[in-house]
Amino acid sequence: MKEELFISGRDIPNIDPFLNIWHWQIPIYLFLGGLAAGILFFAGLFYVLGKEKEMATTVKWAPFVVPIALVLGLIALFLDLKHQLFFWRLYTTIRMESPMSWGAWTLMVITPLSMIWVATYLKEAFPKWSWRFNFIEQIIDFFTKKRKEMAWVMMLLAIILGVYTGILLSAFNARPLWNTSILGPLFLVSGLSTGLAAIIWMSKSKIERRILSRIDILLIAVELFLIVHLFMGFLAASTVQIEAAELFLGGQFTVTFWVFVVILGLIFPAVLEILELNGYHIPVWIPAFLILFGGLVFRFVMVEAGQITRYLY
Amino acid sequence: MRYAMAIDTKKCVGCSDCVVACQTENNVPHGYCRDWIVENVNGSYPNVEIELRSERCNHCENAPCVRCCPTGASHIVEGGIVMVTHNECIGCGACIQSCPYDARYSHPEGYVDKCTFCQHRLQKGQNPACVDVCPTKCLYFGDIEDPYSDVSLALKNRTWKVLAPEAGTKPQLYFLT
């Protein structure tokens, strides 16, 4: 039987006919947040493992990108708000049930932490650097001695930040495409992988790149595995989720997702990295760029497609 | 006490009086609405069936919009009414994303706005504007925990449904079928 649904006289901006309340700001932030989480996690990890010297780019230099990425991400988030003068309301309360509240507080801690981490390495990067004031010098000295503790906190917060970028979406049960618990791990792994790609791009040490490439290949494999599970889960679920999956299996997002995210953003760079490990010379920026670009497209597609999916009643 | 509304889909003619009454009562900006009419057409002529529904916020018992609000601007007040405090709302859009009924919208002034069951009228002992204005008297409102309220009596001898119960929100709009 043919069934049609009309909503008469309703044409609310950004709600009808399809929800489109989140624009470019959210995927940009999800990407930068994931990237920052990835870099900070590996910086903390290799510091704790005592590889500060061998993995200098990972521990010391790549984190210089993080405060920039996080601040740009925060600006994007701020631009997304429609009632901007009230943004401080986020920090007058902690709401355990709201992922966005968690995320806001995590960012509040991890952004300054990443800045302090970078500050402790500033003198190594720029030998002529001076903090000018004695008390700043003392504060930085204090944190330089506490790097190990900071590394542990950084790893923990990086995981929360990475998972949060996915949970932010998966908490919305009204959007069937997002409403799957696998989105948290998927965004975390994707964020770690983009973080690694950025570090590999920056690193000049062949040994460091080899170690990082191996981890990256593993992460890409896990990510592909999670993507397969994502769709298996959808296809075995209720009508609304089957319809959500169909957007990617023949629907309007099929080409963007499978070509730019899965093939060019995951499989192809993984193959290039494997070839590189086996002695072929491949310019390092190619797989790194593809992974970063794939990660960005992935977030745009998920945010855009998720808003189209809905309950039909 | 638990406020709820019943909508008689057999009596509703889809005139949109409830929509206009709400827009007037609540100063809803032009181009927006807090309630709306859905025409659900099944089949094709001559074997056709039309269900008309006057829809609005479901004031869910398990409200996802309240759960995901990062500032607590969305909250539940006495009687189970879901409200938004304008000067606590940051306009992040999380509640709009979380609503399976798309009952919320972003007010041009920035905050998120939605049906309040005309709480300002309830405090004066009046019904919501949409209920009072309905020319076919197809909207019933009241305390669903009181067996003699308008809404309880309307539900008593009729079959009814709620929208998207599978979303797990425990909605409080009952559609008489």
Side-chain angles (χ1 to χ4, degrees):
Chain A
M1 199 188 327
K2 203 175 135 210
E3 186 177 8
E4 277 181 284
L5 210 67
F6 303 97
I7 302 177
S8 35
R10 207 180 95 147
D11 190 22
I12 301 177
N14 295 327
I15 310 273
D16 298 308
F18 294 110
L19 192 69
N20 190 19
I21 200 84
W22 283 353
H23 305 109
W24 58 270
Q25 296 95 334
I26 298 293
I28 290 281
Y29 158 68
L30 295 180
F31 173 74
L32 292 171
L35 179 73
I39 294 176
L40 281 188
F41 178 79
F42 288 107
L45 179 70
F46 284 107
Y47 186 88
V48 169
L49 292 176
K51 302 272 192 226
E52 196 187 0
K53 294 224 166 55
E54 298 91 322
M55 311 284 288
T57 310
T58 317
V59 177
K60 297 178 188 172
W61 316 131
F64 276 73
V65 177
V66 173
I68 303 167
L70 284 177
V71 168
L72 288 177
L74 283 167
I75 291 172
L77 275 188
F78 180 71
L79 289 177
D80 169 69
L81 299 183
K82 307 263 181 331
H83 217 202
Q84 284 161 340
L85 291 178
F86 292 84
F87 81 96
W88 51 273
R89 283 284 184 184
L90 280 171
Y91 298 109
T92 56
T93 175
I94 296 180
R95 308 227 344 118
M96 298 308 270
E97 283 184 306
S98 164
M100 212 179 259
S101 183
W102 275 81
W105 281 103
T106 307
L107 283 168
M108 191 66 159
V109 180
I110 204 169
T111 311
L113 184 67
S114 72
M115 288 174 180
I116 294 170
W117 182 266
V118 167
T120 64
Y121 285 108
L122 256 182
K123 275 204 170 155
E124 249 178 272
F126 309 102
K128 283 185 188 151
W129 183 272
S130 154
W131 288 105
R132 289 195 168 220
F133 297 102
N134 224 354
F135 72 96
I136 302 182
E137 201 88 42
Q138 282 165 354
I139 294 169
I140 301 298
D141 278 349
F142 170 79
F143 281 111
T144 310
K145 287 186 201 106
K146 298 273 177 204
R147 273 189 194 142
K148 190 151 199 176
E149 288 82 353
M150 279 168 68
W152 279 106
V153 178
M154 249 163 47
M155 275 158 65
L156 178 72
L157 287 177
I159 290 174
I160 296 177
L161 182 65
V163 172
Y164 154 68
T165 57
I167 300 240
L168 174 72
L169 301 181
S170 71
F172 298 130
N173 69 335
R175 312 292 148 207
L177 178 71
W178 295 343
N179 190 215
T180 159
S181 50
I182 219 162
L183 229 54
L186 180 55
F187 273 70
L188 172 66
V189 174
S190 169
L192 292 178
S193 168
T194 51
L196 271 182
I199 303 172
I200 293 173
W201 199 342
M202 281 183 259
S203 173
K204 295 205 168 56
S205 147
K206 209 158 185 191
I207 305 159
E208 185 176 16
R209 286 211 305 258
R210 277 184 84 87
I211 297 170
L212 296 177
S213 293
R214 285 200 181 130
I215 304 174
D216 199 30
I217 291 164
L218 186 73
L219 284 178
I220 289 176
V222 173
E223 202 178 331
L224 286 168
F225 170 80
L226 289 176
I227 287 174
V228 171
H229 271 250
L230 179 76
F231 285 102
M232 277 177 66
F234 281 148
L235 293 174
S238 57
T239 316
V240 285
Q241 289 197 310
I242 294 171
E243 281 170 6
E246 278 167 357
L247 286 175
F248 294 85
L249 305 169
Q252 63 191 99
F253 294 98
T254 313
V255 176
T256 331
F257 183 76
W258 295 102
V259 174
F260 288 102
V261 178
V262 176
I263 296 174
L264 286 179
L266 294 172
I267 298 174
F268 189 54
V271 171
L272 289 182
E273 282 181 337
I274 292 169
L275 288 177
E276 168 91 40
L277 287 178
N278 288 314
Y280 291 88
H281 180 70
I282 287 153
V284 67
W285 68 270
I286 298 179
F289 172 79
L290 286 174
I291 290 170
L292 288 167
F293 186 69
L296 185 62
V297 174
F298 173 61
R299 283 156 180 83
F300 266 94
V301 167
M302 286 307 282
V303 170
E304 181 98 13
Q307 296 185 85
I308 290 177
T309 61
R310 55 167 298 173
Y311 276 90
L312 281 178
Y313 50 81
Chain B
M1 186 159 72
R2 185 73 181 82
Y3 285 122
M5 192 182 280
I7 297 103
D8 193 336
T9 60
K10 296 284 190 246
K11 269 161 87 181
C12 178
V13 292
C15 67
S16 296
D17 256 14
C18 49
V19 180
V20 178
C22 170
Q23 287 166 330
T24 315
E25 175 70 31
N26 297 299
N27 275 324
V28 179
H30 186 71
Y32 295 79
C33 53
R34 292 183 180 183
D35 57 353
W36 59 94
I37 303 288
V38 172
E39 300 168 33
N40 197 348
V41 182
N42 255 314
S44 52
Y45 184 81
N47 300 313
V48 66
E49 211 173 90
I50 301 177
E51 182 180 275
L52 291 162
R53 298 195 297 258
S54 167
E55 291 186 10
R56 57 189 59 51
C57 170
N58 280 266
H59 296 276
C60 306
E61 213 169 300
N62 179 20
C65 50
V66 173
R67 215 181 322 131
C68 73
C69 177
T71 66
S74 284
H75 60 287
I76 295 178
V77 298
E78 204 210 337
I81 304 175
V82 178
M83 298 286 284
V84 183
T85 311
H86 294 169
N87 61 10
E88 280 180 28
C89 174
I90 59 171
C92 66
C95 55
I96 298 179
Q97 299 285 9
S98 76
C99 179
Y101 310 102
D102 287 345
R104 287 166 167 258
Y105 61 86
S106 181
H107 192 282
E109 277 172 27
Y111 52 82
V112 167
D113 202 23
K114 63 180 274 300
C115 163
T116 60
F117 267 166
C118 281
Q119 202 213 16
H120 59 287
R121 288 173 61 91
L122 301 182
Q123 282 165 349
K124 287 186 267 175
Q126 295 169 312
N127 272 333
C130 54
V131 175
D132 271 356
V133 83
C134 179
T136 64
K137 303 269 179 278
C138 77
L139 301 175
Y140 304 89
F141 185 80
D143 176 8
I144 201 162
E145 285 167 3
D146 169 8
Y148 297 104
S149 67
D150 287 351
V151 65
S152 301
L153 292 173
L155 290 172
K156 212 168 178 183
N157 297 316
R158 293 282 297 273
T159 55
W160 50 263
K161 66 174 180 186
V162 293
L163 298 176
E166 66 274 22
T169 53
K170 296 190 185 157
Q172 296 301 317
L173 290 193
Y174 298 88
F175 293 88
L176 304 174
T177 52

